[in-house]
Amino acid sequence: MGERSGEDGLFAQAQIAPLTGLAESLGLDRNAWIQTATQPLPETLRLTMHHYDVDWTRQQLLAMGATPLSWSIGNEAYQLPFARGQAPRDGTRELLALLHDTGRVTRQEAASMLPILVLDPKPNELLLDLCAAPGSKATHAAERMAPSGVVVANEPISGRVNMLASNRGRLSLHNVMITQHDGRHVGRIPKPGFDAIVADVPCTGSATSRKNKDVWWSWSPKGGRTMFQLQVDIASRGAQLLRPGGLMVYSTCSIDPVENEAVIAELIRKCPWMDVVDIDESKVDGLVWHQGLSSWTPLNEDGNVSDKPEKVPFFDERYLPPNEQELLDALPKTRRLYPHDNNTGGFYVALLRHREDATPEGVAKTFIDKLAKRREDSGWESRRLDAPRANRHTVHGASEQEAAVIIEQCQLTTTDYSWWKRGKRMAIAPRLVHDRIWSQETPNKRGDRWPAGTFHPLQVLHVGLPAFVSKNGQWRARQESIPLLYDQLSNELVVIETDALMRLLGDEALEPEVIFGETTPPQGALLMRCHHPSGTLIINGWCGTRVTLMLDKAERRLLSIRLGLEEEE
């Protein structure tokens, strides 16, 4: 195997890597593949459209030389004129990091935006992301579905759950629920099921060579064969939870047909109520990509076409192209993206629908009880089960009276949320969470019913955005909630002059009369409005004997740069 250091070592390895053999077996030009797939990706990102600072942020990106990704329809995405992670050290690098850390942009590889662009989820829908962490696709969907649609972002691994929660808070998203299940065994929600499913499944990453150079050394053809069953099982669970008429997108960052077309073929065999449907090309207008394959050949471990496919490691006939004509007709409706097509990474995406005529009961297949008639004939009756016992991590629904106290103390105008409490924090979410999940009974597989007033059997860790925190009976809005609450804050907020804000950013603790004049100042947490030429700002502060700021390091630093107090590093 080649040396891993330097461009020469990478190029030499690409010449002999099994990954190049895979590309050639798919009909790609060897030289064009190596030339592009060994180069670093350009920096790409999504602009946070619901942030109050969207206009100012766009100006900063354009000043960096950003150009729009024209095929990213329905949201603003940009490509920057430098490689991923290689922003110039003239202030651009720090500013870009601050824009991401404060939720004004989200750095994301362009190709990984495709599943949500293709699925195109809508407000008022309930979407399940089966393998959500670190959250780029879940947050992308949530932004497009706001304010009324909800994303149930599922992740089995505890450490990655924390990444999900962090990204939800960074982007001030109130329409994300976070659950923790194995993707093959995600719990039910009440009937009729989910409106949309994202199955961006674990894969070998064979299309990620531009950001993960180790793939040139680590990838082998048997890798996809070892992932196949997991991918089928996760996608199958999504199909079982999808209501009739609902859409599911299946995707990987792999170009191996065993992880892509072969999985889709097996999924249709296992879940015949699902159909592969045509992707609306207008949703990615201008993108260059290719039809899915209906023919491919197994490779040996050297990346060469095997003259005895049944002898390759972990062989299974399901890894071969299908024989069924309906599957051969369906697979070209899926789409493949190669690195040299649009200067991106590689990707695979398929769009499927639960046929309504396949399930006249009008509910997800997981609810179809094959033994229901036999039970009825025996005199069996469905039981309402007891709700699981609560613990300190349990999320509880809050009362209207509790919400009214927060609305008054935090100077909010009329809000249209469902309210959820855990400990000293209060979260807000769309009403859809209450109406379609919390307030409905959920049948189990035996036909008994989990009661309303609980999320069970979903293992819910977080509901919505923890927007408020209580101390000594006083509620304050947390900094991460300000972009969400911006348009709902009272006009009665105290106005702070730019000079006073600059003094606070310079670590001064101001006498209250500097800001409040002769008015009696409030005590404790407060929100202040600053009318700055670059845009109106909402500032978190604290008023005791002196007034100080309550901003995290990134927000404070970005404000200091914006107001000209400090230069970028």
Side-chain angles (χ1 to χ4, degrees):
M1 303 294 279
E3 293 290 333
R4 297 197 183 202
S5 60
E7 292 186 10
D8 290 343
L10 174 63
F11 189 77
Q13 177 61 23
Q15 297 288 341
I16 61 173
L19 189 56
T20 297
L22 171 63
E24 287 188 287
S25 77
L26 301 177
L28 302 184
D29 179 80
R30 176 186 180 87
N31 292 331
W33 160 259
I34 293 176
Q35 180 63 36
T36 304
T38 55
Q39 297 302 309
L41 283 167
E43 186 78 75
T44 51
L45 51 80
R46 302 192 325 261
L47 180 63
T48 306
M49 298 303 297
H50 67 267
H51 200 288
Y52 63 85
D53 247 356
V54 62
D55 292 333
W56 179 81
T57 304
R58 185 186 295 111
Q59 292 172 8
Q60 309 314 303
L61 295 176
L62 294 175
M64 294 178 191
T67 55
L69 291 175
S70 60
W71 49 263
S72 180
I73 309 298
N75 58 273
E76 284 189 48
Y78 290 88
Q79 179 173 307
L80 291 152
F82 42 79
R84 189 170 179 262
Q86 298 299 316
R89 294 185 180 275
D90 58 0
T92 301
R93 177 171 296 202
E94 184 192 17
L95 181 57
L96 187 60
L98 290 171
L99 292 175
H100 175 88
D101 292 346
T102 60
R104 288 163 170 85
V105 303
T106 294
R107 287 164 145 171
Q108 183 181 7
E109 184 186 345
S112 75
M113 300 178 193
L114 286 176
I116 304 306
L117 295 176
V118 165
L119 184 62
D120 192 20
K122 305 295 185 185
N124 297 315
E125 289 186 339
L126 194 54
L127 177 149
L128 170 64
D129 187 342
L130 287 157
C131 311
S136 59
K137 298 171 187 67
T139 58
H140 188 186
E143 288 174 359
R144 292 175 70 103
M145 297 168 71
S148 56
V150 173
V151 173
V152 176
N154 179 70
E155 173 56 43
I157 302 172
S158 295
R160 290 170 64 83
V161 165
N162 294 336
M163 297 169 65
L164 259 180
S166 176
N167 278 315
R168 171 214 56 184
R170 180 180 63 82
L171 291 165
S172 197
L173 290 169
H174 77 303
N175 60 335
V176 175
M177 294 175 59
I178 298 177
T179 64
Q180 188 171 16
H181 294 268
D182 184 316
R184 296 167 291 185
H185 308 292
V186 175
R188 300 176 176 191
I189 61 168
K191 296 177 181 179
F194 288 98
D195 303 306
I197 303 281
V198 176
D200 184 60
V201 298
C203 68
T204 61
S206 61
T208 65
S209 62
R210 299 186 68 182
K211 68 176 181 180
N212 179 18
K213 298 191 185 307
D214 285 344
V215 170
W216 289 108
W217 283 266
S218 63
W219 188 85
S220 72
K222 68 181 179 183
R225 297 191 280 269
T226 63
M227 298 294 294
F228 174 88
Q229 191 60 54
L230 174 65
Q231 294 163 338
V232 169
D233 290 345
I234 292 173
S236 297
R237 184 55 179 162
Q240 292 163 359
L241 294 170
L242 183 65
R243 67 162 176 82
L247 292 172
M248 179 171 81
V249 64
Y250 174 90
S251 60
T252 73
C253 52
S254 176
I255 58 172
D256 185 353
V258 174
E259 301 179 79
N260 296 325
E261 288 89 349
V263 170
I264 294 300
E266 183 64 12
L267 174 64
I268 299 301
R269 294 185 189 108
K270 287 188 64 177
C271 305
W273 60 90
M274 299 292 288
D275 276 347
V276 180
V277 297
D278 290 310
I279 293 171
D280 183 351
E281 301 280 348
S282 69
K283 295 177 180 177
V284 287
D285 188 31
L287 182 74
V288 177
W289 56 359
H290 308 269
Q291 290 185 342
L293 304 174
S294 55
S295 177
W296 60 89
T297 306
L299 304 180
N300 61 28
E301 286 306 281
D302 294 325
N304 298 317
V305 173
S306 176
D307 55 357
K308 294 183 178 180
E310 69 280 1
K311 298 297 184 181
V312 300
F314 307 111
F315 174 77
D316 188 307
E317 288 189 356
R318 296 176 299 167
Y319 307 156
L320 298 174
N323 295 317
E324 304 95 322
Q325 189 59 49
E326 64 172 316
L327 296 179
L328 293 172
D329 293 339
L331 293 180
K333 297 179 182 179
T334 68
R335 289 293 180 267
R336 299 181 141 259
L337 187 74
Y338 298 121
H340 54 274
D341 291 332
N342 307 274
N343 192 20
T344 66
F347 219 75
Y348 176 82
V349 63
L351 187 64
L352 304 101
R353 175 181 283 115
H354 182 162
R355 287 197 333 275
E356 292 175 287
D357 63 355
T359 315
E361 296 89 342
V363 296
K365 281 293 185 181
T366 190
F367 296 117
I368 305 301
D369 186 352
K370 297 178 181 179
L371 300 178
K373 179 62 176 173
R374 187 182 303 177
R375 289 194 180 107
E376 289 176 7
D377 293 344
S378 69
W380 174 88
E381 293 184 0
S382 173
R383 296 179 301 128
R384 179 181 292 157
L385 304 171
D386 293 332
R389 294 183 61 180
N391 57 46
R392 64 188 181 90
H393 300 296
T394 302
V395 178
H396 302 274
S399 68
E400 292 184 4
Q401 292 77 13
E402 290 171 309
V405 170
I406 295 176
I407 290 171
E408 179 181 358
Q409 291 185 1
C410 296
Q411 295 180 275
L412 301 178
T413 57
T414 302
T415 60
D416 188 28
Y417 301 123
S418 57
W419 296 74
W420 309 92
K421 61 181 179 180
R422 187 171 71 178
K424 295 183 178 181
R425 291 187 175 185
M426 186 75 76
I428 50 179
R431 289 191 177 275
L432 192 70
V433 173
H434 175 274
D435 296 345
R436 282 193 56 182
I437 304 179
W438 177 263
S439 65
Q440 306 292 325
E441 293 183 337
T442 304
N444 67 12
K445 63 182 180 181
R446 291 179 293 275
D448 295 322
R449 296 160 291 134
W450 293 108
T454 174
F455 291 110
H456 195 78
L458 272 186
Q459 300 297 316
V460 174
L461 302 183
H462 302 280
V463 179
L465 183 71
F468 308 96
V469 63
S470 172
K471 184 176 182 180
N472 299 325
Q474 291 294 311
W475 290 92
R476 68 172 178 87
R478 301 177 67 237
Q479 181 182 321
E480 67 181 26
S481 72
I482 299 305
L484 173 64
L485 301 175
Y486 184 84
D487 291 330
Q488 298 152 42
L489 294 171
S490 168
N491 292 328
E492 302 302 316
L493 290 187
V494 63
V495 175
I496 181 174
E497 298 298 328
T498 300
D499 288 345
L501 175 57
M502 293 175 73
R503 290 172 64 185
L504 289 171
L505 287 168
D507 288 330
E508 280 193 60
L510 300 181
E511 296 285 349
E513 53 264 28
V514 173
I515 297 172
F516 297 96
E518 297 181 359
T519 304
T520 302
Q523 293 296 299
L526 76 156
L527 296 175
M528 300 173 284
R529 182 177 275 116
C530 178
H531 298 293
H532 187 262
S534 67
T536 299
L537 308 171
I538 300 296
I539 309 298
N540 257 1
W542 182 270
C543 185
T545 56
R546 300 290 180 99
V547 178
T548 55
L549 294 180
M550 293 180 65
L551 298 176
D552 66 25
K553 184 178 179 181
E555 191 70 37
R556 181 187 288 261
R557 174 68 176 156
L558 186 62
L559 274 176
S560 296
I561 294 171
R562 181 170 180 171
L563 272 58
L565 280 175
E566 302 177 45
E567 294 184 357
E568 301 100 318
E569 295 177 353

